[in-house]
Amino acid sequence: MSGARLGRVLGLAAATSLALAACAGGGGGGNGGDASSVKIGFMGDLTGENSAIVIPPYNGAKMAIDEYNAKNPKVKIELIKYDSQGKADQATSLLAQAVNTDKIVALIGPAFSGESKAIGGTLEESKIPSISPSATNSGLAGNGWKYWHRVVANDNDQGPQVADFLLTAKSPKKAFVLSDDQEYSVGLAEAVTKTFKDKGVEVETDKFAQAASDYSSTVTKVKAYNPDLIFFGGYYAQGGRLLKQLRDNNVTTLFASGDGSLDQQLVSGAGEQAAEGAVIACPCNIPSADATGTAKAFYDNYKKTVGSDPAIYSTEGFDAATAYIKAVEEGKTTSEDINNFLSSVSFEGASKPIKFKANGEPENNSIFVYQVKGGVLKLLGKSSEAKLGG
């Protein structure tokens, strides 16, 4: 091959390489300005013991992005999932891959509070915007992070509202509040405890390890205290086991929990008879088959796309993805531009009107109450209006 021809070939190869790089687009930080596609991550427990809380928001996010890409937009979005199993150390290593190797421009998640706390600082340093569909620990909003957001009410909203509901429904004089040692569990239990005490209820508390399976020490304390109600601030995997052991030891007191327990596996873990009457609060309104309007449209589309009914935080996952979609539609394809866009985004979401406060919290918060009836979780309504059954 002649030198001149070799030069032309090398020049063509270099030009082709540059064109391919431009088409790839979607880098982190300041990259992706002329992108034809961008990468957005989804991080959470997708295969662990509490994955039923995270798979629905992932499905919702994927549904939103698939609908967007099907319109053949100028800039497409690639959704990359990162299965942290809800563990802070796994979230940390996955984030390094997401930022440095995959070059995501934004993140949906993390789903849980502990992993959110663990990687929030790194997201901030990397200037990668995040929107969690389900992390509720109130302290996350107090870190001064400018790239952190969530579309769900925090535990300082959830805890007092579910406590007020229980106070109205049961007028307890004594309550026992339990948690395991996970970030979310502790935060929600503390919020409920404070409200009970502020309202003159006598409260006893106890905490056990997340990995524990025998709660006999805790059960003994609860039984001896003989409370008027029990509140557990944790996830359904632990909640189901706890509830079963309480009932096996003839503790029949009303059992209540928060959004982390809002899954049918709470019932299967405890047993249908043991779980009957249990109350679960959630900053989520799950669309049902008899919904109307926007909620009905979401229900039908989710059912058709995913093959199952919407579940906890499916609408919040959809809304988190939609916020990013709206940014990309406005030509915001770098992390910094997307983050700036989030400060003023405002739209009617599937879960609620979506708008962020300066600290990343959602402007609109409502808490809903569910109860196990006939082995199935039934929506009772907003905590301010719901009536306890059974």
Side-chain angles (χ1 to χ4, degrees):
M1 184 180 290
S2 70
R5 187 179 177 192
L6 177 61
R8 288 195 298 272
V9 170
L10 290 175
L12 178 61
T16 302
S17 177
L18 287 170
L20 287 173
C23 288
N31 297 329
D34 298 318
S36 60
S37 68
V38 293
K39 296 176 181 178
I40 293 176
F42 182 102
M43 184 179 290
D45 181 357
L46 294 167
T47 60
E49 65 177 359
N50 289 301
S51 59
I53 299 170
V54 183
I55 293 172
Y58 171 76
N59 287 338
K62 185 175 185 300
M63 187 172 82
I65 289 172
D66 286 349
E67 288 176 2
Y68 166 77
N69 285 333
K71 298 174 184 176
N72 197 29
K74 180 180 177 182
V75 179
K76 290 201 170 184
I77 297 174
E78 180 183 354
L79 183 65
I80 304 176
K81 58 183 177 181
Y82 301 97
D83 180 13
S84 66
Q85 296 189 317
K87 299 175 182 176
D89 56 346
Q90 287 187 206
T92 301
S93 60
L94 286 169
L95 182 62
Q97 175 192 331
V99 174
N100 300 321
T101 303
D102 297 335
K103 306 294 185 183
I104 64 168
V105 296
L107 181 71
I108 301 170
F112 292 167
S113 297
E115 56 187 339
S116 295
K117 181 180 179 180
I119 70 169
T122 304
L123 285 166
E124 189 75 7
E125 292 170 8
S126 304
K127 296 186 175 180
I128 302 292
S130 66
I131 305 174
S132 178
S134 53
T136 59
N137 184 272
S138 58
L140 293 171
N143 292 301
W145 295 332
K146 302 299 183 184
Y147 287 78
W148 173 89
H149 313 77
R150 61 178 156 207
V151 290
V152 62
N154 70 42
D155 293 334
N156 282 347
D157 292 309
Q158 181 179 185
Q161 288 189 48
V162 66
D164 284 342
F165 168 79
L166 293 168
L167 287 167
T168 300
K170 298 296 289 185
S171 301
K173 291 182 171 55
K174 296 167 62 178
F176 209 118
V177 179
L178 302 165
S179 73
D180 59 31
D181 54 5
Q182 298 181 83
E183 191 83 19
Y184 157 74
S185 185
V186 172
L188 181 55
E190 288 177 346
V192 170
T193 297
K194 182 180 186 304
T195 303
F196 280 156
K197 288 184 173 179
D198 288 347
K199 298 295 178 68
V201 178
E202 182 183 324
V203 182
E204 187 61 63
T205 64
D206 195 32
K207 181 168 67 174
F208 50 82
Q210 172 194 357
S213 57
D214 180 2
Y215 307 138
S216 55
S217 174
T218 293
V219 170
T220 298
K221 293 174 186 176
V222 174
K223 191 170 184 177
Y225 188 66
N226 191 27
D228 299 313
L229 64 85
I230 299 163
F231 184 87
F232 171 60
Y235 296 109
Y236 64 79
Q238 291 75 24
R241 290 194 292 268
L242 173 63
L243 183 50
K244 182 181 190 306
Q245 291 177 41
L246 286 166
R247 300 302 190 235
D248 285 348
N249 284 273
N250 300 314
V251 179
T252 59
T253 307
L254 176 70
F255 181 92
S257 190
D259 59 308
S261 290
L262 187 60
D263 187 80
Q264 196 62 30
Q265 290 183 68
L266 177 77
V267 179
S268 59
E272 187 173 320
Q273 186 174 351
E276 188 68 14
V279 173
I280 302 95
C282 184
C284 60
N285 184 3
I286 303 171
S288 61
D290 57 359
T292 58
T294 304
K296 175 61 173 172
F298 181 90
Y299 174 90
D300 290 342
N301 198 15
Y302 189 95
K303 180 88 171 179
K304 178 182 177 182
T305 304
V306 178
S308 62
D309 289 353
I312 183 171
Y313 295 132
S314 52
T315 55
E316 283 77 8
F318 185 91
D319 288 343
T322 300
Y324 288 139
I325 289 168
K326 288 187 176 297
V328 174
E329 286 177 330
E330 291 295 318
K332 314 302 182 185
T333 58
T334 70
S335 297
E336 206 150 353
D337 284 348
I338 291 171
N339 194 64
N340 289 336
F341 179 87
L342 293 180
S343 66
S344 60
V345 70
S346 179
F347 63 95
E348 188 64 39
S351 64
K352 63 178 80 68
I354 301 299
K355 185 176 175 60
F356 298 108
K357 297 178 182 178
N359 63 354
E361 291 277 27
E363 287 276 6
N364 299 283
N365 299 318
S366 291
I367 307 300
F368 296 84
V369 178
Y370 299 76
Q371 187 174 28
V372 178
K373 295 182 177 181
V376 179
L377 288 158
K378 300 286 190 180
L379 175 64
L380 300 183
K382 287 186 178 181
S383 62
S384 58
E385 304 166 356
K387 302 296 182 184
L388 194 61

